Amino acid sequence: MNIKSLLLGSAAALAAVSGAQAADAIVAAEPEPMEYVRVCDAFGTGYFYIPGTETCLKISGYVRVQVDGRSDFDIDGVELQDGGYRTNTRAQLRFQAKSDTEFGELHSQITLRANSNSDDDYYLEESFIQLGGLQVGYFYNYFDIGLPGETVLSDGGPIAGADYIGGDTLNNSIRYTFATEAFQAYIQGDAFNSQAGWKTDEAGNDDELGVNGLIGGTFGGVSANLFAAYDFDYEDTVIASTITAAIGPGELGIFGVYSFGATRYWDFSEWTIGAEYAIAVNEKFSIAPGVQYWDNILYDADGDYDGGSAWRVGVTADYKITEGLTAKATINYTDVDLDDLGDGDRWDGFIRLQRSF
């Protein structure tokens, strides 16, 4: 066999192999089209379109770890509250869905919350349906829009351990709101949370209804509102106001209440006034001293206030560790004077770490 024959044989073999490979070639299939999640910026940050729809969804929440502490509280030797500490971890998830309709913005919200020191599983927090200015569901009223610290009590009273009927700000309700950029007003009807969901409670009351309303606005760096509520069962009215203003290096908040009688909205005192001032030390750290005074904190069987007073001072510190992670600590002192029944005082506070998303 000469060189020429060897080359011709090799060429024939290569041609045969190449032909076989060409016959068995695998052709890659075209990739299926993929629908990526689209960002929805029509309703603010954090929303995205639910694939295949024009509805925008936002998922948010937080995980909070907190340690509470308090001293014993007694009135002239009669113990009303044990002292000590407790730990708790809370998880909250909130789902908000929004879309534009011919009737205005359609908004629905589901909020789920659970605490480690509670026997309950996840329970329903503020959840509702809103179309334009009309809102129905389970949500808070605007009795307390919120102050910058943790000293002023807007949904609790100075007598620790007392069996209050007031502070009922979360109910099944219906509300209509009129709002512009600088002004808002609403009227709301409340069905108070009766036993097992029925209208009549264990005591046989069948007027477990209330109505509340608010007028408020923002003028420059000042926000103010006037809130009023009437309880049809207790047949009494309460009015309240919250004012916040940017002053100097921080924000001042003032909260005031006048109650004509004990109701489910408020029964902690005939009147109270409190203030907090959050001082921005730097971009990450702020400190907020606060003070509050209550007058006529006792009431009789008819809901009429008839004596006692209390005051409270404290300070709250907030620190932003990094984006989405904050720490908060507060310590407060409360002094209670029940006239002829005696007096007492207590310390309370907490340390909190919270991751929000």
Side-chain angles (χ1 to χ4, degrees):
M1 181 180 295
N2 54 32
I3 297 299
K4 183 178 180 180
S5 299
L6 181 60
L7 291 175
L8 289 174
S10 299
L14 288 172
V17 172
S18 300
Q21 289 179 338
D24 297 334
I26 299 175
V27 179
E30 290 291 331
E32 292 291 332
M34 181 179 294
E35 183 176 359
Y36 293 95
V37 174
R38 295 179 295 150
V39 173
C40 173
D41 55 8
F43 305 107
T45 60
Y47 286 90
F48 60 90
Y49 286 99
I50 299 175
T53 74
E54 293 301 315
T55 299
C56 298
L57 179 67
K58 180 178 182 179
I59 302 173
S60 60
Y62 64 79
V63 176
R64 174 187 296 175
V65 180
Q66 183 166 311
V67 179
D68 298 277
R70 67 190 185 192
S71 63
D72 294 334
F73 180 63
D74 61 82
I75 299 294
D76 282 4
V78 179
E79 186 175 276
L80 297 181
Q81 184 184 69
D82 291 328
Y85 76 94
R86 67 175 181 177
T87 60
N88 182 49
T89 299
R90 173 185 290 180
Q92 176 172 298
L93 279 176
R94 175 169 293 165
F95 304 87
Q96 298 180 80
K98 294 185 178 183
S99 59
D100 285 321
T101 75
E102 63 272 29
F103 302 106
E105 180 181 298
L106 175 60
H107 178 200
S108 59
Q109 176 176 304
I110 302 172
T111 305
L112 300 174
R113 181 183 290 180
N115 293 290
S116 65
N117 63 6
S118 172
D119 293 331
D120 296 332
D121 293 328
Y122 266 96
Y123 59 91
L124 195 66
E125 265 282 299
E126 194 174 29
S127 301
F128 55 83
I129 299 170
Q130 182 176 350
L131 180 61
L134 181 64
Q135 182 174 339
V136 294
Y138 190 55
F139 50 86
Y140 289 96
N141 61 43
Y142 278 29
F143 193 94
D144 170 33
I145 294 182
L147 296 185
E150 298 287 339
T151 298
V152 175
L153 301 178
S154 58
D155 58 355
I159 307 178
D163 186 17
Y164 293 109
I165 61 170
D168 200 350
T169 60
L170 178 62
N171 293 289
N172 286 302
S173 306
I174 180 169
R175 173 194 296 168
Y176 187 82
T177 301
F178 172 80
T180 65
E181 290 185 1
F183 172 82
Q184 67 172 329
Y186 80 72
I187 184 70
Q188 173 176 322
D190 298 315
F192 296 114
N193 300 315
S194 55
Q195 299 293 324
W198 295 99
K199 183 171 181 287
T200 302
D201 67 8
E202 291 178 331
N205 301 314
D206 60 0
D207 291 323
E208 294 199 345
L209 301 173
V211 60
N212 70 85
L214 175 138
I215 298 175
T218 300
F219 316 95
V222 178
S223 296
N225 68 73
L226 180 64
F227 173 94
Y230 180 79
D231 187 327
F232 289 94
D233 186 9
Y234 290 85
E235 298 182 343
D236 265 312
T237 302
V238 59
I239 58 176
S241 181
T242 303
I243 301 172
T244 60
I247 298 176
E251 180 182 57
L252 174 67
I254 300 173
F255 173 72
V257 175
Y258 185 83
S259 175
F260 294 88
T263 68
R264 288 184 176 88
Y265 293 103
W266 178 270
D267 70 336
F268 309 118
S269 62
E270 183 178 19
W271 63 271
T272 185
I273 187 167
E276 293 173 335
Y277 182 57
I279 305 167
V281 179
N282 54 45
E283 292 183 355
K284 290 191 172 185
F285 180 64
S286 67
I287 186 168
V291 61
Q292 186 172 10
Y293 178 80
W294 298 263
D295 193 53
N296 283 335
I297 59 178
L298 300 173
Y299 57 89
D300 58 25
D302 295 325
D304 297 324
Y305 297 103
D306 60 0
S309 62
W311 56 270
R312 175 176 167 90
V313 294
V315 63
T316 302
D318 289 272
Y319 184 72
K320 180 179 178 181
I321 301 171
T322 187
E323 191 66 33
L325 182 63
T326 58
K328 180 189 289 283
T330 186
I331 185 168
N332 302 283
Y333 174 79
T334 305
D335 184 89
V336 177
D337 182 0
L338 299 182
D339 297 336
D340 295 338
L341 298 178
D343 53 47
D345 59 3
R346 79 174 190 273
W347 291 88
D348 66 84
F350 65 75
I351 300 173
R352 175 189 299 168
L353 186 68
Q354 181 166 313
R355 177 16 172 149
S356 302
F357 59 90

